[in-house]
Amino acid sequence: MASYDIVLLDVEGTTTPISFVHDVLFPYITNNVSDFLASNWNDPALQTHIRAIADQANLDAQSAISSAIPIDLLNDTPEEIRSKILANIDWQMKADRKIGALKGLQGFMWQTGYKNGQLLGAMFPDAVMAIKRWCEKSRSVYIYSSGSVEAQKLIFGYSDHGDLSGLLSGHYDTKVGAKIESQSYLRIAGDIGVASGRVLFVSDNVSEIRAASEAGMQTVVSVRPGNAPIPESELGVFKTVTDFMEIPL
Ligand SMILES: [Mg+2]
């Protein structure tokens, strides 16, 4: 492996267990949303998210989506609105819907959960050690994840290894482009102001690794418990590690 100046890290399956979102973040919403709505109902920030969910529910009801119940913010009682909002969130989450209004409320709840200590971003200890070592050896560490930049900052800022935000030089999400397109990696290198060959990209996803490699980046595949197995045809094509401290400096 050649030398490198920049390390670009994926999050889920790489710095953080692949199960974190489904085993920690989503259950946090499911288990807390009822109490959260009750105790924060008059918070203007929450009301903005409630209006967005109601607008979406009314659109869905017009489009004859069978699970959608219209929500009348002017004429329903607060109790009716709250119970309809809860039912709405329940079916959207069971359907694993990725729609703006739901994501907005989820993000708002996660932000609150991290800030009050109910949520901690899960980190593999060797990933934290390696990030610290890279910083000591004058490498700059960036994150590129399909989770939003805001969500990334929460995971690292409120991690189970403390506030790691000072170790990171920047964040990218899919606003820069899809993670399986090599163009996205060229854009990131251009934005950082470095030749792509000076960047080391680490991810559990072989399609992402191939895209980064096609863009000229150096790559390492992260092999972690719970990750999808690497397809047999890809074995031996890219360097793999089970521990970040195995990655040469
Ligand atoms: Mg990943």
Side-chain angles (χ1 to χ4, degrees):
M1 197 158 117
S3 65
Y4 54 87
D5 303 311
I6 303 291
V7 180
L8 183 64
L9 299 175
D10 168 59
V11 177
E12 284 169 49
T14 302
T15 62
T16 297
I18 195 98
S19 58
F20 180 65
V21 172
H22 281 278
D23 289 355
V24 178
L25 291 185
F26 286 133
Y28 177 79
I29 303 287
T30 313
N31 296 336
N32 292 292
V33 66
S34 175
D35 287 350
F36 187 87
L37 294 190
S39 45
N40 297 283
W41 190 250
N42 294 318
D43 179 338
L46 176 61
Q47 281 300 321
T48 304
H49 294 292
I50 296 299
R51 273 195 299 280
I53 288 187
D55 289 347
Q56 182 66 52
N58 294 334
L59 267 179
D60 289 342
Q62 278 167 26
S63 325
I65 294 178
S66 58
S67 314
I69 307 160
I71 301 171
D72 186 341
L73 291 177
L74 292 177
N75 297 307
D76 291 346
T77 67
E79 286 68 29
E80 281 170 336
I81 294 171
R82 202 149 61 222
S83 79
K84 286 181 180 180
I85 292 276
L86 283 172
N88 180 282
I89 291 167
D90 184 58
W91 82 256
Q92 290 204 74
M93 287 193 67
K94 281 184 180 140
D96 198 20
R97 222 163 173 230
K98 310 276 184 209
I99 212 148
L102 176 66
K103 286 170 89 171
L105 178 73
Q106 289 170 331
F108 180 63
M109 279 189 67
W110 287 325
Q111 187 180 48
T112 308
Y114 280 113
K115 288 186 176 163
N116 68 20
Q118 286 182 301
L119 282 173
L120 285 173
M123 294 288 148
F124 289 113
D126 59 271
V128 176
M129 268 159 57
I131 290 170
K132 287 181 176 161
R133 186 177 65 165
W134 280 317
C135 291
E136 280 161 17
K137 303 288 184 185
S138 306
R139 297 335 189 269
S140 299
V141 180
Y142 290 77
I143 304 298
Y144 181 29
S145 165
S146 47
S148 68
V149 166
E150 297 75 34
Q152 296 172 26
K153 286 181 173 170
L154 290 168
I155 289 183
F156 285 90
Y158 298 90
S159 92
D160 56 6
H161 286 68
D163 178 3
L164 305 175
S165 53
L167 300 169
L168 304 176
S169 297
H171 296 263
Y172 296 94
D173 59 21
T174 50
K175 286 196 185 108
V176 81
K179 293 186 78 188
I180 57 169
E181 284 169 14
S182 60
Q183 201 61 35
S184 308
Y185 298 85
L186 292 172
R187 271 187 219 116
I188 290 172
D191 188 63
I192 296 171
V194 68
S196 57
R198 303 299 300 170
V199 181
L200 170 67
F201 176 60
V202 187
S203 171
D204 59 308
N205 183 312
V206 178
S207 302
E208 297 173 10
I209 290 286
R210 185 178 304 100
S213 181
E214 281 169 9
M217 288 186 182
Q218 300 182 57
T219 58
V220 168
V221 180
S222 163
V223 176
R224 300 292 197 181
N227 285 2
I230 298 167
E232 214 150 300
S233 57
E234 308 281 356
L235 281 174
V237 179
F238 299 105
K239 180 178 173 58
T240 60
V241 296
T242 54
D243 179 329
F244 276 24
M245 296 300 278
E246 293 167 15
I247 301 173
L249 279 170

